[in-house]
Amino acid sequence: MAIPQIQPGSQEDLQRWFQQQLEASPVQFDEKSLNYEGNTPYDILYYRLQDKAARHWQENYGFVPTPGQLYKAFFGAQFACFHNGHKNPRRWQRKIQCWLTFITVSLRGH
């Protein structure tokens, strides 16, 4: 079975780019309790990678992905990293779900 090619500049390419960045980063989403202040090393990495991806896409493909595309690609990459390399993905999935719920509520302002 042939592996489908990923089109440069596509959503899949963006997710792959984030996955490579996350795998190369020393920052890990560890076993500690979630911090809702948005200033953990993981949160800072998230914001830096969002900016870096936007600049990279602008320079290489002539456009900046929408915030929704960046968000979806980052968390798709995060899920892939956990799915591929962590011992207990269900525990991580619960933590990510809690964090995503918090972000969603924060963005809505409720």
Side-chain angles (χ1 to χ4, degrees):
M1 183 173 180
I3 298 174
Q5 293 290 343
I6 295 177
Q7 296 286 34
S10 67
Q11 184 69 25
E12 293 82 12
D13 190 25
L14 183 59
Q15 181 173 321
R16 183 180 57 186
W17 182 90
F18 274 118
Q19 189 169 350
Q20 291 168 345
Q21 298 294 313
L22 289 168
E23 289 171 353
S25 171
V27 176
Q28 297 296 317
F29 190 70
D30 57 15
E31 300 278 334
K32 294 179 183 174
S33 300
L34 293 174
N35 178 340
Y36 296 110
E37 294 178 14
N39 61 356
T40 66
Y42 186 82
D43 295 324
I44 293 167
L45 175 67
Y46 169 79
Y47 298 124
R48 285 184 181 157
L49 288 179
Q50 294 288 301
D51 290 338
K52 186 175 177 182
R55 285 192 311 273
H56 178 78
W57 248 246
Q58 179 64 48
E59 292 170 4
N60 291 288
Y61 303 111
F63 71 96
V64 175
T66 66
Q69 290 170 320
L70 291 166
Y71 179 87
K72 181 179 178 182
F74 178 85
F75 287 105
Q78 185 67 69
F79 178 79
C81 287
F82 287 138
H83 182 69
N84 293 337
H86 284 76
K87 297 174 191 166
N88 189 351
R90 288 189 180 155
R91 183 174 183 155
W92 295 109
Q93 184 179 18
R94 186 183 69 73
K95 286 188 175 190
I96 290 172
Q97 178 128 18
C98 289
W99 192 76
L100 289 173
T101 301
F102 170 76
I103 293 295
T104 302
V105 170
S106 296
L107 291 173
R108 281 195 230 147
H110 294 118

